[in-house]
Amino acid sequence: MEPELGLGLVKHVDHRLVEIYFPASRETRTYAAADAPLRRVVFKAGDKIKSRDGASFTITSVSTAEGIITYHGDQIDLPEKDLSDTISFTTPHDRLLNGIIDPNRDFNLRQRALEYQHRYRKAKVRGFMGGRINLIPHQLYVAHEITRRHIRRVLLSDETGLGKTIEACLIMHRLLVTERISRILVLVPHSLIHQWFVELLRRFNLLFRIFDEEYCRAATETDPGANPFLDDQMGITDISFLAANPKWRELAVAAGWDMLVIDEAHHLTEGSEAYSLAEKLSAVSDSLLLLTATPEQLGHRSHFLRLQLLDPARYHDFDLFGKDEEQYQAVSSIINRFLEEDKLSPADIKRLNSLLPGELESGTDIPASDDKMDPKSRRAFIEDLLDRFGPGRVVFRNTRAAISSFPKRIAHPIPLDGKAEDLSSQSKEFSADLADTEEIPAFDFKNDSRIAWLAQFLKKNKKEKVLLICRSIQKVRAIDEALRRQLPAEIALFHEEMTLLQRDRSANWFALAEGAQILICSEIGSEGRNFQFSHHLVLFDLPLDPELLEQRIGRLDRIGQSQTIHIHIPYIQGSGYEILARWYHEGLDAFRENVPGAYQIFQQLGSEVREKALNRNLSGLEELLERTRKLRGEISGRIQKGRDRLLELNSFQPEAAKELVGEIEANDRHTDIEKFMLDVFRLYGIREDRISNHTYKLNLSLLSSVEFPLPPLKQESLTVTFDRSTALIHEDIEFLTWDHPMVMGVMDLLLGSEKGNAAAVSWPESATNEILLEVIFILESVAPKNLFADRFLPPTPIRVVVDHSLQECSNKFSREAINRAAQAFEETHILENRDLRQELIPHMLGRCEEIAGKKSQSQINRGLQSMETALDREINRLVELKKVNRNIRQEEISLLEEEKRLLREAILTARLRLDSLRLIVKGHF
């Protein structure tokens, strides 16, 4: 199914599996022995073959001894294991000559698949199209910038709400789709495991294994020596679980990974087990992504240690790091003034002259203090400074101040009267929420004033979608029961005891215009879901951690949210929730806007707030609120004063991002994929029912191939859409793009099979009698996947048409012209003509191959030129920058130079592979 891998060698066989090694591409594949998609290569006398050392000869005879085939030629005996790794096959030729032909429809579908595959593999946005995400420019820019590098070890430190998780997922998805990585381990706090699992599966169709104690024990029960971390290529685990278990930690390190991702990286403190784990895992991982919204919240030393994980060679001396930072801050402050005033002072110019040896890289002179630069020169000047002094090789940080499109948030505190028994009940509820007691009370909200308020609110706002989040599944059920007693509203539930499919259906019902009015969620609803079609959030209770509160609000407060968000906080006066609500609202202002430095504030004041809330102690509350406001102002001021404009500029370049967004939007608008997939569905017996624009429900009952690549969790029924806006609202619907595993799998299934690779048509209305042969060759480089040679020379269809006099007539007879005139092939007697089969068609095919060989050379030259231009530019840039920027590593330059050498070799040795052919019989014979 993957002919581009070249010829494979059987390395191992047992009763279940067969292992094949493909030397040309250095890939190993393991298949089920019973139905492996493999065919043994067998040639016959008269065929021309090539040995691994490059010698070509025509086979004169074939012999077999002890199961091994040997090919004999003029003074040559070649065992089959020594055949060239990149040898091509002529299966379509054999099928045609034996009268095994496909309908013209199948041939055309195959050609479309080849063209789409060629276009897709060279697309700049390959791997970015398939995410079920809004196209947020800064996220795409960060992902593109990182994935084009060879050393992908960076700190993603966007502020809360800007989408670090999406950026990390985009990076992983693109690298997986382009096959530059295959093994990934994601380390997260326990509370975020589900969020990551859902984000990867629902948004990017990536199914990760959750490695926990239960799974690891089960995996080693029958084989104590087994390594559970080798059972799956992609996994998520709780960093605390792994750090605290030496056995599992050692096995995780021994497994080796292409990429390690660590969320909430600010918790990696010096000397901790978690930091030691990160250190060991990062040493065995080529790529490393650290995620934190607060990179320096625990101090400069802590930030340095995280950078040391990314690049131990570069960040080896804390004192030297401090000096580099001083120089960097000097340039950053100059950039800030330059951006604000559009001119530099004499002191600024003197400072730059001391830092920069002569002119900048672009040839742009340092501007005089009274100069006004034109926009192009100004941008070139800033970009040169970014290249020389920017930290963007290892750190990316976007801020809300620099990124627009955030909605307005309005807080609605709702104080409610309560009786003594209400306060007592809420005191138990509050203690349970804070895990202050192991006993979870049996919640009864039938007489709770919050339920009475909620019922009235829903009655008054019948057309509004309302999301309610509370602490636990017990509360979800109690709220549901109490609310149903007061009004006949459509209520959907969402909690951790529901299966993933049940949660999908519940969320989908909530998303429908005529569906549920309110969705009642446990805390799991604040993780990884997008409910931004709703504009009302009810906080039935409040978490103590400001970061968790922001996570709840983040289900609605997202980039791209077009409406004002209303946050409703009902609480009984005198309860612990009142103290917490007032602290958040009057002290932190956390309901109205994202709080910079919330973690530091909570570290200082959290225990005091907790104590007051638990004891319902209102005395001294005003003084606490005042201290909170003052501390918030101080931290916010420090953050604003130290705002790193240089880092922001390096983390987001609008013009480059706009180009990425534009290309994805163009692909979204194009209907090629929809038409293609509908034809594929029909080819394999899948019936579709259109349920709305670009959205279909598939009937799989007559599916004709067990190998058809259905999504793993959608075997019973399947609804698909080609529309991004529909996919964003309905997460239970598969969003089909060229990146989707089903679409890529269909391409492999179709092009790896014989379907459509040999066809014949009649052209009865022709004024002349002649025979044409239309042949499609694929020009492809056989190279290791991590070279990503497709960027420069993707598998390229080369079409050649010759007539029976061996004259090329490709331009004279276009595919469209042939299809318009073609009719079903009825002259089967023609294929029985010995001269046609043994003489004419082989000569016509040979002539096509000769013509295709000449055409392929221009493709090879273009690919080579494109590769050398791109890599030479980047190599020269890094060589020059390394002279002044210590962030540039010699290893990265060396890797680029080696990649250029290997790519040159792969492109120059690109081969032509016969993919398909069509015999056209014009006139009457």
Side-chain angles (χ1 to χ4, degrees):
M1 290 178 66
E2 299 174 282
E4 71 276 8
L5 294 176
L7 198 65
L9 296 172
V10 178
K11 300 298 289 184
H12 176 76
V13 182
D14 61 29
H15 66 286
R16 292 188 308 111
L17 303 174
V18 55
E19 182 181 302
I20 309 292
Y21 175 62
F22 298 90
S25 52
R26 289 181 248 166
E27 294 282 336
T28 298
R29 294 282 190 273
T30 301
Y31 304 98
D35 56 357
L38 304 165
R39 176 174 298 136
R40 187 177 189 180
V41 177
V42 179
F43 293 100
K44 59 182 182 298
D47 288 339
K48 188 175 181 179
I49 60 174
K50 186 167 65 172
S51 67
R52 186 173 284 127
D53 60 11
S56 298
F57 68 96
T58 300
I59 299 171
T60 56
S61 63
V62 181
S63 64
T64 302
E66 297 182 348
I68 303 298
I69 298 173
T70 300
Y71 299 104
H72 308 283
D74 186 14
Q75 299 182 340
I76 294 179
D77 300 313
L78 184 70
E80 60 180 319
K81 67 182 179 63
D82 294 328
L83 285 166
S84 169
D85 305 325
T86 59
I87 210 160
S88 295
F89 313 105
T90 56
T91 304
H93 178 209
D94 295 337
R95 292 187 73 216
L96 179 66
L97 295 186
N98 285 284
I100 306 171
I101 56 177
D102 298 309
N104 193 47
R105 174 201 64 192
D106 294 359
F107 176 84
N108 283 315
L109 185 61
R110 187 182 185 91
Q111 305 324 305
R112 287 162 61 196
L114 289 170
E115 291 169 0
Y116 296 150
Q117 181 191 66
H118 171 74
R119 189 172 68 192
Y120 166 66
R121 289 202 178 181
K122 70 177 182 180
K124 186 177 181 180
V125 292
R126 180 182 172 191
F128 292 152
M129 292 180 279
R132 191 193 299 265
I133 58 172
N134 285 304
L135 303 178
I136 308 300
H138 78 270
Q139 295 174 352
L140 289 164
Y141 174 78
V142 169
H144 181 262
E145 177 63 22
I146 292 169
T147 53
R148 73 187 187 92
R149 295 181 182 179
H150 291 75
I151 298 178
R152 297 173 286 268
R153 300 177 71 89
V154 298
L155 177 67
L156 300 177
S157 57
D158 288 0
E159 283 185 348
T160 300
L162 290 180
K164 294 180 296 299
T165 305
I166 293 296
E167 290 169 2
C169 291
L170 278 167
I171 291 165
M172 287 187 277
H173 188 247
R174 177 169 168 83
L175 294 174
L176 286 166
V177 165
T178 55
E179 299 184 89
R180 285 178 283 171
I181 65 172
S182 59
R183 289 183 52 74
I184 304 174
L185 181 64
V186 180
L187 296 180
V188 300
H190 179 75
S191 62
L192 298 182
I193 286 177
H194 182 267
Q195 175 184 338
W196 273 87
F197 180 84
V198 169
E199 206 89 333
L200 287 160
L201 179 60
R202 289 294 172 235
R203 293 188 185 279
F204 294 93
N205 303 294
L206 298 176
L207 183 58
F208 274 61
R209 164 73 64 188
I210 295 177
F211 293 118
D212 55 16
E213 180 73 29
E214 182 182 359
Y215 174 77
C216 290
R217 284 190 180 280
T220 54
E221 266 183 9
T222 55
D223 182 3
N227 186 338
F229 297 95
L230 290 174
D231 289 348
D232 292 270
Q233 294 287 75
M234 303 182 296
I236 305 172
T237 190
D238 174 5
I239 189 170
S240 298
F241 151 70
L242 208 55
N245 290 271
K247 177 183 178 180
W248 306 133
R249 181 174 66 235
E250 290 171 12
L251 289 175
V253 173
W257 305 93
D258 296 331
M259 173 170 278
L260 175 66
V261 181
I262 306 178
D263 198 5
E264 301 294 318
H266 51 272
H267 295 313
L268 299 176
T269 55
E270 188 171 10
S272 68
E273 288 183 331
Y275 187 86
S276 175
L277 170 67
E279 204 169 23
K280 291 175 181 177
L281 282 169
S282 65
V284 296
S285 305
D286 291 334
S287 299
L288 173 62
L289 302 181
L290 301 179
L291 281 68
T292 174
T294 49
E296 298 192 54
Q297 69 176 16
L298 298 179
H300 214 47
R301 170 76 182 177
S302 180
H303 181 48
F304 168 76
L305 289 172
R306 281 185 288 278
L307 296 180
Q308 197 171 54
L309 290 174
L310 297 168
D311 188 353
R314 167 70 180 85
Y315 298 99
H316 62 91
D317 187 312
F318 181 60
D319 293 332
L320 185 61
F321 171 68
K323 292 177 183 178
D324 286 348
E325 286 287 284
E326 288 177 9
Q327 179 173 280
Y328 168 73
Q329 290 301 331
V331 175
S332 182
S333 64
I334 292 172
I335 286 285
N336 285 347
R337 288 194 291 277
F338 186 58
L339 288 170
E340 293 166 3
E341 302 171 11
D342 203 20
K343 63 181 181 179
L344 299 179
S345 69
D348 293 334
I349 295 171
K350 183 178 179 181
R351 178 63 171 160
L352 283 178
N353 275 319
S354 70
L355 296 172
L356 302 174
E359 288 189 351
L360 295 171
E361 195 62 34
S362 66
T364 306
D365 290 313
I366 297 172
S369 59
D370 57 350
D371 282 351
K372 291 284 184 179
M373 301 180 74
D374 63 83
K376 185 177 180 181
S377 299
R378 188 167 178 265
R379 183 65 199 175
F381 173 71
I382 291 172
E383 286 181 356
D384 276 330
L385 287 178
L386 292 177
D387 250 350
R388 288 175 176 249
F389 294 99
R393 302 303 296 180
V394 289
V395 180
F396 286 81
R397 181 167 177 79
N398 286 292
T399 64
R400 289 188 176 227
I403 304 293
S404 57
S405 302
F406 277 95
K408 183 180 179 182
R409 290 173 9 185
I410 298 178
H412 302 278
I414 303 159
L416 303 167
D417 293 330
K419 301 175 184 177
E421 54 266 33
D422 295 330
L423 288 174
S424 175
S425 175
Q426 278 219 348
S427 180
K428 293 179 181 178
E429 178 189 345
F430 191 74
S431 295
D433 283 355
L434 270 57
D436 206 47
T437 174
E438 293 183 3
E439 181 183 353
I440 298 178
F443 298 113
D444 183 355
F445 297 132
K446 288 190 288 290
N447 299 313
D448 194 296
S449 53
R450 290 171 295 179
I451 294 294
W453 167 83
L454 179 60
Q456 289 301 314
F457 178 81
L458 292 174
K459 287 177 183 177
K460 291 179 182 177
N461 299 275
K462 291 184 178 180
K463 293 184 178 181
E464 298 292 339
K465 294 285 184 179
V466 179
L467 175 67
L468 183 149
I469 300 180
C470 62
R471 178 72 180 86
S472 65
I473 181 176
Q474 290 85 359
K475 282 191 182 183
V476 168
R477 289 170 174 158
I479 294 168
D480 176 45
E481 181 183 353
L483 192 57
R484 290 182 188 277
R485 288 173 175 267
Q486 300 215 16
L487 81 165
E490 299 285 4
I491 302 172
L493 305 184
F494 192 100
H495 55 74
E496 55 269 35
E497 289 190 7
M498 299 167 69
T499 66
L500 197 58
L501 184 59
Q502 287 172 329
R503 290 199 292 268
D504 274 346
R505 288 172 176 167
S506 193
N508 184 49
W509 184 36
F510 180 50
L512 293 172
E514 66 280 8
Q517 183 185 1
I518 182 171
L519 181 70
I520 304 175
C521 298
S522 63
E523 205 70 78
I524 201 170
S526 65
E527 299 175 359
R529 289 281 175 166
N530 176 3
F531 296 117
Q532 68 184 65
F533 54 83
S534 170
H535 311 125
H536 291 272
L537 174 65
V538 174
L539 298 173
F540 192 82
D541 54 32
L542 292 168
L544 183 61
D545 187 346
E547 290 185 348
L548 185 52
L549 174 67
E550 189 59 40
Q551 202 172 73
R552 286 188 180 187
I553 298 172
R555 295 311 94 210
L556 273 61
D557 181 11
R558 309 172 72 87
I559 293 180
Q561 170 68 268
S562 58
Q563 302 292 323
T564 296
I565 296 169
H566 296 272
I567 302 171
H568 307 274
I569 314 102
Y571 60 85
I572 295 176
Q573 296 181 78
S575 70
Y577 290 121
E578 177 186 6
I579 293 172
L580 207 49
R582 290 187 61 189
W583 185 65
Y584 277 133
H585 186 48
E586 300 172 33
L588 284 180
D589 198 17
F591 298 125
R592 194 176 61 85
E593 61 182 36
N594 181 57
V595 181
Y599 181 85
Q600 296 100 311
I601 298 171
F602 182 65
Q603 288 290 98
Q604 294 188 44
L605 302 177
S607 59
E608 188 175 347
V609 174
R610 185 178 190 275
E611 184 181 354
K612 278 190 177 297
L614 276 172
N615 298 318
R616 293 184 281 154
N617 181 10
L618 292 171
S619 65
L621 180 59
E622 291 296 339
E623 188 268 337
L624 174 61
L625 296 177
E626 179 57 36
R627 277 191 288 131
T628 303
R629 287 190 289 268
K630 183 178 179 181
L631 184 58
R632 184 192 192 283
E634 290 172 357
I635 292 176
S636 180
R638 285 201 302 269
I639 290 173
Q640 185 58 33
K641 184 178 179 181
R643 184 180 169 195
D644 198 333
R645 296 289 289 277
L646 189 55
L647 183 54
E648 289 173 11
L649 286 167
N650 221 10
S651 300
F652 179 43
Q653 295 187 17
E655 288 304 313
K658 183 179 179 181
E659 185 179 335
L660 292 169
V661 172
E663 189 169 335
I664 297 173
E665 287 177 337
N667 272 283
D668 284 353
R669 289 192 299 269
H670 218 294
T671 59
D672 278 354
I673 186 172
E674 183 173 351
K675 295 174 182 176
F676 172 71
M677 288 302 294
L678 291 177
D679 286 342
V680 167
F681 293 151
R682 292 159 193 157
L683 177 66
Y684 287 97
I686 298 173
R687 292 178 294 178
E688 83 283 349
D689 293 315
R690 182 176 177 275
I691 57 177
S692 65
N693 283 341
H694 314 297
T695 304
Y696 304 85
K697 185 168 185 177
L698 304 183
N699 184 333
L700 307 176
S701 61
L702 298 178
L703 179 61
S704 61
S705 172
V706 295
E707 296 177 348
F708 195 88
L710 294 172
L713 301 181
K714 296 290 177 64
Q715 300 291 347
E716 297 177 4
S717 64
L718 184 62
T719 303
V720 301
T721 186
F722 300 90
D723 178 66
R724 185 175 296 273
S725 59
T726 301
L728 286 170
I729 296 173
H730 302 286
E731 294 191 347
D732 63 321
I733 296 177
E734 291 292 327
F735 177 37
L736 298 190
T737 70
W738 295 114
D739 283 337
H740 193 281
M742 189 162 88
V743 178
M744 292 190 292
V746 158
M747 291 278 201
D748 289 341
L749 180 63
L750 181 60
L751 298 178
S753 72
E754 295 176 343
K755 197 176 289 291
N757 75 349
V761 295
S762 298
W763 191 332
E765 303 304 320
S766 172
T768 58
N769 295 340
E770 58 184 325
I771 293 177
L772 306 176
L773 186 66
E774 178 183 14
V775 184
I776 309 298
F777 295 93
I778 303 298
L779 176 66
E780 59 191 3
S781 57
V782 180
K785 301 293 186 183
N786 59 10
L787 274 182
F788 195 19
D790 289 357
R791 290 171 291 171
F792 309 110
L793 186 63
T796 304
I798 295 179
R799 175 179 180 267
V800 179
V801 181
V802 299
D803 60 21
H804 57 265
S805 62
L806 305 185
Q807 296 299 308
E808 183 187 5
C809 46
S810 307
N811 295 331
K812 181 180 178 182
F813 298 108
S814 68
R815 183 177 304 141
E816 293 74 19
I818 294 173
N819 286 332
R820 281 195 299 269
Q823 294 184 13
F825 187 68
E826 296 179 353
E827 295 86 349
T828 53
H829 64 279
I830 292 178
L831 293 176
E832 298 172 3
N833 184 294
R834 183 172 180 176
D835 290 338
L836 180 80
R837 293 172 57 199
Q838 295 188 1
E839 297 293 332
L840 182 57
I841 290 182
H843 285 144
M844 293 173 76
L845 182 59
R847 175 61 176 150
C848 287
E849 189 170 1
E850 178 187 332
I851 295 167
K854 293 177 182 178
K855 289 186 175 184
S856 67
Q857 195 56 51
S858 62
Q859 297 285 349
I860 290 172
N861 292 338
R862 276 197 293 272
L864 193 63
Q865 182 179 4
S866 175
M867 181 275 293
E868 290 181 337
T869 299
L871 268 64
D872 283 344
R873 183 191 303 119
E874 185 65 9
I875 290 170
N876 293 336
R877 172 177 169 268
L878 293 181
V879 167
E880 290 303 311
L881 288 176
K882 189 176 183 298
K883 297 175 183 176
V884 292
N885 187 340
R886 294 178 66 250
N887 279 302
I888 309 301
R889 300 166 59 176
Q890 179 58 45
E891 180 187 356
E892 188 163 5
I893 297 172
S894 299
L895 284 172
L896 267 174
E897 291 171 339
E898 176 64 7
E899 180 184 21
K900 177 185 171 185
R901 183 188 70 79
L902 292 173
L903 279 169
R904 179 180 178 82
E905 180 181 319
I907 292 172
L908 285 174
T909 57
R911 69 176 188 186
L912 270 179
R913 173 173 58 84
L914 173 62
D915 177 82
S916 48
L917 47 78
R918 176 166 61 173
L919 185 70
I920 301 106
V921 178
K922 296 185 65 186
H924 300 278
F925 284 84

